[in-house]
Amino acid sequence: MKITGVDVGGTHTDIIAFDTASGDIAVHKVPSTPHDHSVGLVDGVSAAVTGAHLDFLAHGTTIATNALLQHDGAPTGLITTAGFRDVLHIARHQRPLHYSIRQQIPWQDQALIQRRHRKVVHERIDARGEVITPLDEDEVRRAAAELADQGVESVVIAFLNSYRNPEHERRAAELVRAVFPSAFVTTSSGVSPQFREYERFTAAAVNGFVGPTVQRYVGRLGSRLADAGLDTELRIMRSNGGAATPRFAAEYPVTLLMSGPAAGVLAGAHVGGACGRENLVTFDVGGTSADIGIVTGRSIMESAPRDTWIAGLPIVVPMIDVHTVGAGGGSVAHVDRGGAFRVGPRSAGAVPGPACYGQGGTEPTVTDANLVLGRLRADRTLAGATALRPEPAIEALRALGEPLGMTPEQTAAGVLTIVNHNMANAIRTRTIQKGKDPRAFTLVAFGGAGPLHAAEVAASLGLPEVLVPRYPGITSAMGLLASDLKYDLLRTMFLLGDDVRGAELDTVFTELTAEARAHLVTDGVAAEDMSFERYADCRYLGQGYELRVPFDDGALDEEAVHRCWKRFHELHAEEYGHAFPDSPIELINIRVIARGRLPKLPAFSVEADPDASTAVVATDPALFTVDGDLRALPTTFYERSKLGAGAVLEGPAVVLQMDSTTVVPPGARAEVLGTGDILIHIGGER
């Protein structure tokens, strides 16, 4: 069986192809094609699997994210309950900056749905799901006709309390499709069937806003694959760490918003598990940003429903918790108006890129600093194509540093110090600030720039070791081949602890499981490849935030319910540092997570060869800060493809490969594991 993972980024499209029969691996990078990402994807896959039939293709995409961030979606209309036309505008009466009189309010300044495109109809369902006012179907037809005349492409239907009873939304959707058949139709109960009207309405609005763009992309991709002779089973990565069929992805594109970063966290978990590590910080650094994820022995951390914001908007769909900071290889170093030395978040991008690319860029970046310090080599290319030029990098750093009385080398060291602290602070927000001791974690570093900075970032945090995957530059593409089909089904209950009955929950769990099983059957998943997990979202009475608590398998009795309450107290103490055992618990939602097993990338292996001398490329000076002084130290450069299992590298050392560069600083020691991954021992306390 031949399986392929493809992650489309802003600069490069990363491809890994694996033949399960022969064990052959092909790694490929091609330039992304921003005008149509499907072009670069199909060209890259065709080059990677030349002459071979492709059985399975997993794809990570930024198409939905870019449409939202760039506010480049479809003209969208809304049909809602009379009296609730302005829910999306009013939001929660909160301002992003409490005390600023000059600020942008995203949901107002860049509204996804203009007020003239928001139509109201008479209908009402109460909080118990009972119909108070029947749906006025003629008003729905008129609203759909008006929106068609106004030129919208997408129609969102969001009614009050539809999470309790979606009957009116479903009927309205049927009427809209009959009147306006070309419209992309979204219902809020279909996207996010849970309470909190503003968040549910917003998730539906985002789905409608990006929907036509994603739908067209998925259609073009399928056609291009067919035209190229790649008749393959296609799956698209979702924000929750699961894959989806093209049909589902095109219908619910809001679930794709963190597609690429989610794959990176999955890849980190896959690599760490193969190396016997459970507690992991995934550290994915590219040209523009660093993405941070947390994996524990229990699970991959997911975002809380009230903590997930993209483009200033709350997105209440299941999503792996990925924290992003503007720090990457292209981050620009500058002195701000107050005289402070800063790095990022602005990036030089792919064009013109860092000064050392020789494409007209004149501003100093993190990549320029690494080149000037000798950690990147001018006689090697980045990503197999980009030649580096030291002279423009030196000039850019000289122009920045001279007014501060610093040499280009000192300026470069300052750039790395600042960007490393920015990355370390991002990790602190996901570990220390959430009550987790970073010394209990291994840093899994990947992306084009992650292994360049990981050891020094880990040292500043006290993390004892860094794990660098075999192919760090295409690790997110690897993560696509570590996923399963995944569906999250949810029902809001609002039950107090004393009112919860195991038999009642059993009935709802059975209904949700049957619905999830039907999704998997439609996707062609065999019964033996299906699995189901059951959870409850709980909180103490009066709280505004919930915690997800696992439920036992099998029939639920009162003892199983009490075990759930006990787990909730334990999770609350773990998350917040305290619990209230005598306080009543409120069960808000119950959910079923269904998985359908997909083909997986196995753990790699390399032949044992403890002699690292055969992999030495050169020994040249590189600059490192030791005891506060910037020193030129003899540094050994190795070719990674020639390193065998058991090889030990004493810092300072640099490991070179096509897709990334790994730095082992002075005082650190690296070893090549049997999986081909590099483990860097920092020396901190575990």
Side-chain angles (χ1 to χ4, degrees), residues 610-654:
D611 183 9
S613 63
T614 58
V616 173
V617 173
T619 300
D620 290 319
L623 296 167
F624 293 90
T625 300
V626 180
D627 297 329
D629 295 327
L630 187 62
R631 302 178 187 175
L633 301 176
T635 302
T636 306
F637 291 78
Y638 296 89
E639 183 64 55
R640 182 159 187 180
S641 62
K642 297 180 180 179
L643 289 170
V648 175
L649 318 178
E650 298 291 343
V654 176

Side-chain angles (χ1 to χ4, degrees), residues 394-657:
I394 293 171
E395 288 305 314
L397 288 161
R398 177 177 287 114
L400 175 65
E402 274 187 350
L404 305 175
M406 300 166 66
T407 67
E409 292 76 15
Q410 291 170 332
T411 306
V415 170
L416 293 198
T417 297
I418 293 170
V419 77
N420 286 344
H421 279 296
N422 291 345
M423 295 171 180
N425 285 335
I427 295 174
R428 287 188 181 95
T429 66
R430 311 332 270 174
T431 54
I432 295 171
Q433 292 182 20
K434 289 183 174 290
K436 296 178 174 62
D437 187 347
R439 293 174 297 182
F441 288 79
T442 297
L443 190 67
V444 185
F446 50 96
L452 267 168
H453 298 267
E456 292 177 338
V457 170
S460 70
L461 291 165
L463 274 78
E465 57 188 25
V466 172
L467 192 60
V468 180
R470 185 174 177 183
Y471 303 108
I474 52 91
T475 297
S476 289
M478 291 171 53
L480 296 165
L481 298 180
S483 64
D484 289 313
L485 284 171
K486 185 178 177 183
Y487 292 100
D488 293 76
L489 283 81
L490 175 146
R491 187 172 300 178
T492 296
M493 300 290 289
F494 282 123
L495 297 172
L496 272 177
D498 292 341
D499 299 329
V500 176
R501 298 289 178 265
E504 180 183 2
L505 294 185
D506 235 355
T507 299
V508 180
F509 274 130
T510 300
E511 292 173 357
L512 291 176
T513 301
E515 185 178 345
R517 190 184 305 276
H519 279 302
L520 295 176
V521 169
T522 300
D523 294 342
V525 179
E528 61 271 20
D529 292 330
M530 299 180 186
S531 63
F532 304 91
E533 303 164 18
R534 307 191 294 183
Y535 296 90
D537 295 341
C538 302
R539 66 187 184 188
Y540 291 119
L541 184 63
Q543 281 186 320
Y545 299 86
E546 300 84 46
L547 291 176
R548 187 180 301 180
V549 186
F551 253 111
D552 295 338
D553 293 329
L556 297 177
D557 54 17
E558 304 314 308
E559 185 60 33
V561 173
H562 286 299
R563 284 195 294 272
C564 177
W565 301 155
K566 181 181 178 182
R567 291 190 189 110
F568 170 73
H569 292 309
E570 293 170 349
L571 286 172
H572 197 282
E574 180 181 322
E575 183 72 17
Y576 299 113
H578 58 270
F580 304 102
D582 297 327
S583 295
I585 297 173
E586 193 175 17
L587 188 153
I588 305 300
N589 304 312
I590 66 171
R591 65 177 72 223
V592 169
I593 297 178
R595 301 178 191 273
R597 191 171 60 192
L598 293 177
K600 294 289 190 300
L601 192 69
F604 297 130
S605 62
V606 295
E607 294 183 3
D609 184 4
D611 183 9
S613 63
T614 58
V616 173
V617 173
T619 300
D620 290 319
L623 296 167
F624 293 90
T625 300
V626 180
D627 297 329
D629 295 327
L630 187 62
R631 302 178 187 175
L633 301 176
T635 302
T636 306
F637 291 78
Y638 296 89
E639 183 64 55
R640 182 159 187 180
S641 62
K642 297 180 180 179
L643 289 170
V648 175
L649 318 178
E650 298 291 343
V654 176
V655 182
L656 308 170
Q657 60 189 112

Side-chain angles (χ1 to χ4, degrees), residues 147-180:
L147 291 172
D149 291 341
Q150 291 173 349
V152 305
E153 293 182 45
S154 179
V155 177
V156 174
I157 301 168
F159 292 154
L160 194 68
N161 295 322
S162 63
Y163 68 91
R164 277 293 203 186
N165 181 353
E167 174 188 343
H168 283 181
E169 283 195 356
R170 290 173 180 170
R171 177 56 182 157
E174 293 174 358
L175 296 170
V176 171
R177 290 188 178 102
V179 173
F180 188 3

